[in-house]
Amino acid sequence: MAAAADGAEESGMEVQAPELPLGCGGEGGSPAAGESPQGEERRDPPQASVSNGGEEEGGRELVELKVIWNKNKYDVRFALDSTGAELKQKIHSLTGLPPAMQKVMFKGLLPEEKTLREIKVTNGAKIMVVGSTINDVLAVNTPKEAAQQEVKAEENKKEPLCRQKQHRKVLDKGKPDDVMPSVKGVQERLPTVPLSGMYNKSGGKVRLTFKLEQDQLWIGTKERTEKLPMGSIKNVVSEPIEGHEDYHMMAFQLGPTEASYYWVYWVPTQYVDAIKDTVLGKWQYF
């Protein structure tokens, strides 16, 4: 054999090794599909992770929310360190509702300047949104604005409200001892507790509770509590009380004329704008 090999080399021929048969896992063949070579562990390909909220995306921790507006529900994943103002922008992209026309509620009115983390929003939290689109507002706002202008024109022709006889009989009782303190020259958000210690037109004690989740104003007296949808209130008027300018007298218009005004006396001045914003919506001032 050695001589034959030497002869092959001398003649320039190559000697090839015998080919191994292609097997299906048999001895000497290639490993069958799905099997690993001996001594190696089989590794499954990596699978994509499924997010259940609270994870990070682009370095930002996310939280899953349920946004509810106008009987529509939206599942939203949003950055926990985003502000209320940024959430309003997200709601705008979902609903077409401009941020200025949104009332966003989570355990009260959502503060725009704070983050969701700061107000303790958690996975699965429900975010309630109340408001109308621009088209909805334009459809109803024109006659409403005209009515308000007529009311203001009539008010300008009259003497100050606090001097009128119907109001003097209440105001002459003096400031209630248990009325909430006032802060002149400051505008504050609505408190988390009802506004209490005030008088109504009959001189009885009255309290105002703003149920933002239900979009309702509750007017409570000793006898009963009226639960009014905020959308049913046509207007809110107020005027400082002479000699006590840190308190206002305020009326909620419940019908088409002044006869429907529900009067409340000794409202702390720092809450007047917040009450109007909450009941009428900020769009009334644009």
Side-chain angles (χ1 to χ4, degrees), residues 16-249:
Q16 296 182 352
E19 293 184 2
L20 295 176
L22 297 176
C24 296
E27 185 177 352
S30 300
E35 295 185 2
S36 301
Q38 187 175 359
E40 295 185 11
E41 294 183 2
R42 178 181 175 183
R43 297 184 181 180
D44 294 329
Q47 298 183 0
S49 60
V50 178
S51 173
N52 291 315
E55 298 186 0
E56 292 191 358
E57 184 174 285
R60 305 183 75 187
E61 187 176 355
L62 304 178
V63 66
E64 293 187 354
L65 310 173
K66 289 191 179 295
V67 177
I68 302 172
W69 171 71
N70 200 22
K71 298 183 180 179
N72 297 316
K73 296 182 180 180
Y74 305 88
D75 292 323
V76 177
R77 297 182 70 215
F78 205 65
L80 197 55
D81 289 313
S82 294
T83 63
E86 291 171 323
L87 179 57
K88 282 190 169 187
Q89 292 292 344
K90 178 65 175 179
I91 293 171
H92 181 203
S93 69
L94 293 172
T95 65
L97 189 63
M101 298 184 186
Q102 297 176 19
K103 287 185 201 171
V104 181
M105 273 86 71
F106 173 74
K107 298 180 180 179
L109 205 59
L110 184 77
E112 294 189 358
E113 69 281 0
K114 291 187 176 181
T115 66
L116 304 191
R117 188 189 299 276
E118 288 175 323
I119 61 174
K120 304 188 186 306
V121 173
T122 57
N123 252 356
K126 290 184 179 180
I127 307 295
M128 306 295 295
V129 182
V130 178
S132 301
T133 63
I134 293 176
N135 290 337
D136 292 336
V137 170
L138 293 177
V140 300
N141 199 32
T142 302
K144 198 169 185 177
E145 283 183 345
Q148 289 176 357
Q149 289 174 359
E150 290 177 6
V151 169
K152 289 179 180 178
E154 288 297 320
E155 288 175 350
N156 292 335
K157 296 176 184 177
K158 300 175 182 178
E159 62 183 337
L161 293 172
C162 59
R163 295 183 188 176
Q164 295 177 20
K165 184 178 179 179
Q166 60 172 327
H167 302 303
R168 284 261 43 108
K169 65 180 182 180
V170 180
L171 294 174
D172 286 346
K173 295 177 66 173
K175 184 173 72 173
D177 293 334
D178 57 346
V179 72
M180 297 180 74
S182 65
V183 183
K184 192 174 181 180
V186 174
Q187 295 181 8
E188 294 185 2
R189 300 171 63 87
L190 289 176
T192 55
V193 298
L195 291 172
S196 60
M198 302 167 291
Y199 289 139
N200 60 16
K201 193 173 181 179
S202 63
K205 286 296 180 68
V206 65
R207 64 185 177 277
L208 302 177
T209 305
F210 296 87
K211 293 288 186 178
L212 301 179
E213 293 81 2
Q214 291 105 334
D215 199 33
Q216 292 180 346
L217 168 62
W218 290 11
I219 302 177
T221 63
K222 184 178 180 181
E223 295 78 21
R224 61 180 179 176
T225 298
E226 295 282 351
K227 300 179 180 180
L228 305 173
M230 291 191 194
S232 70
I233 300 173
K234 305 295 187 296
N235 197 13
V236 180
V237 297
S238 69
E239 182 181 286
I241 298 173
E242 279 188 341
H244 300 275
E245 282 74 14
D246 49 344
Y247 288 92
H248 278 231
M249 50 188 294

